[in-house]
């Protein structure tokens, strides 16, 4: 099993190097398009390179990255076909920002972070706005991260600490509620996010049933998106957290 995991890790690192090379070429083509405005060739190259990157990202199951690559590809193709000066300026700006964000996102996911499209929401919508496409909602992106095959990682729960999962939940609940209250009041958001994330991570790790694991996996994803600025602290989001 260890040999298989090591081989998979090596494969992912090779893929990451190839993807970074492709994305570097795409950034170079984007920079060329700034110097050759009105010439569609650099943007057509950008679109083709991003099509290749999107395919690889789907193969390695980095779905948030694949979604961003797809939106970049469509925007580059749109700009290559024309558009007014405002669309060109806003589109190139969004593409340049996305070209910086995508490698960072890939590195974080391959390093063990969540593949969470929610954190990319503002950038995705900037790219879509250039083309006049309908904007994505938090709910739409969150649904992309709900995988029915996600299973609990723990089979023994917190037995080593002498706690059942319900006992652990009761112990952590006051801490979660106090942090949520602070968040609702707007008090030291960064600290409240950290506490909420820690509670969600501990219960997720302790879960021994699918439904419980799914619930706290999703809540952990929502909290991570809040911390990364990809999700607005709306009343609906706070109500969702309060129902945990």
């Amino acid at each position: 099993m260890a040999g298989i995991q090591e081989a998979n890790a090596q494969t992912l690192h090779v893929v990451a190097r190839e993807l970074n090379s492709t994305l570097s070429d795409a950034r170079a083509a984007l920079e060329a398009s700034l110097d050759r405005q009105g010439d569609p060739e650099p943007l057509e190259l950008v679109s083709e390179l991003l099509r290749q990157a999107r395919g690889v990202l789907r193969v390695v199951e980095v779905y948030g990255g694949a979604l961003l690559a797809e939106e970049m590809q469509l925007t580059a193709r749109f700009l290559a076909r024309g558009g007014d000066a405002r669309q060109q300026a806003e589109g190139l700006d969004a593409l340049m920002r996305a070209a910086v964000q995508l490698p960072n996102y890939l590195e974080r996911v391959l390093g063990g972070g969540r593949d969470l499209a929610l954190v990319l929401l503002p950038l995705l919508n900037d790219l879509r706005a250039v083309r006049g496409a309908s904007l994505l909602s938090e709910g739409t992106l969150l649904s992309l991260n709900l995988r029915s095959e996600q299973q609990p990682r723990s089979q023994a729960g917190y037995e080593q600490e002498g706690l059942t999962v319900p006992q652990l939940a009761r112990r952590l609940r006051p801490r979660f509620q106090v942090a949520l209250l602070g968040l609702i009041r707007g008090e030291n958001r960064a600290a409240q996010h950290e506490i909420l994330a820690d509670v969600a991570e501990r219960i997720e790790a302790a879960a021994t049933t699918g439904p419980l694991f799914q619930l706290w996996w999703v809540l952990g994803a929502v909290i991570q998106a809040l911390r990364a600025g990809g999700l607005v602290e709306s009343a609906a989001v706070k109500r969702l957290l309060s129902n945990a």
Side-chain angles (χ1 to χ4, degrees), residues 14 47 81 94-95 97 110 129 151 199 206 228:
V14 170
S47 178
R81 294 173 178 172
L95 282 171
R97 286 186 283 116
L110 295 183
Q151 295 299 319
V199 172

Side-chain angles (χ1 to χ4, degrees), residues 14 32 40 45-46 50 62 96 155 169 183 214-216 243:
V14 170
L45 176 58
V46 171
L50 289 167
V62 182
M96 290 299 293
Q155 295 302 319
L183 189 66
Q214 287 275 348
L215 171 63
W216 287 96
N243 288 333

Side-chain angles (χ1 to χ4, degrees), residues 195-214:
I195 293 170
L196 293 172
D198 178 66
V199 172
E201 182 178 349
R202 291 181 64 184
I203 298 180
E204 177 189 329
T208 56
T209 63
L212 183 64
F213 175 83
Q214 287 275 348

Side-chain angles (χ1 to χ4, degrees), residues 22-159:
T22 300
L23 294 173
S24 179
D25 291 342
R27 285 196 301 273
L30 270 174
E31 291 169 0
S33 71
L34 294 173
D35 298 327
R36 296 164 56 182
Q37 294 190 21
D39 182 354
E41 185 176 348
L43 287 168
E44 289 171 352
L45 176 58
V46 171
S47 178
E48 173 58 23
L49 289 168
L50 289 167
R51 184 191 66 78
Q52 297 172 20
R54 181 194 64 186
V56 175
L57 287 163
R58 284 180 174 172
V59 169
V60 297
E61 299 183 342
V62 182
Y63 298 113
L67 180 60
L68 180 56
E70 181 178 14
E71 292 296 340
M72 293 172 69
Q73 176 198 356
L74 294 172
T75 301
R77 186 191 305 165
F78 174 83
L79 296 178
R81 294 173 178 172
D84 59 33
R86 180 187 61 81
Q87 289 173 322
Q88 289 287 329
E90 292 180 356
L92 289 172
D93 175 70
L95 282 171
M96 290 299 293
R97 286 186 283 116
V100 172
Q101 178 74 5
L102 184 52
N104 293 337
Y105 184 87
L106 174 63
E107 180 180 358
R108 184 179 63 80
V109 172
L110 295 183
R114 296 177 192 262
D115 178 17
L116 186 63
L118 269 175
V119 303
L120 302 171
L121 181 60
L123 191 50
L124 291 167
N125 278 336
D126 284 350
L127 291 165
R128 293 177 69 86
V130 169
R131 309 193 311 270
S134 59
L135 302 185
L136 298 172
S137 68
E138 292 92 342
T140 299
L141 291 188
L142 183 58
S143 69
L144 296 178
N145 291 102
L146 301 180
R147 302 187 198 169
S148 60
E149 70 268 19
Q150 286 279 12
Q151 295 299 319
R153 291 190 289 269
S154 172
Q155 295 302 319
Y158 270 67
E159 290 179 4

Side-chain angles (χ1 to χ4, degrees), residues 226-238:
L226 289 172
R227 297 178 76 180
L231 186 62
V232 177
E233 288 177 7
S234 64
V237 169
K238 293 174 182 176

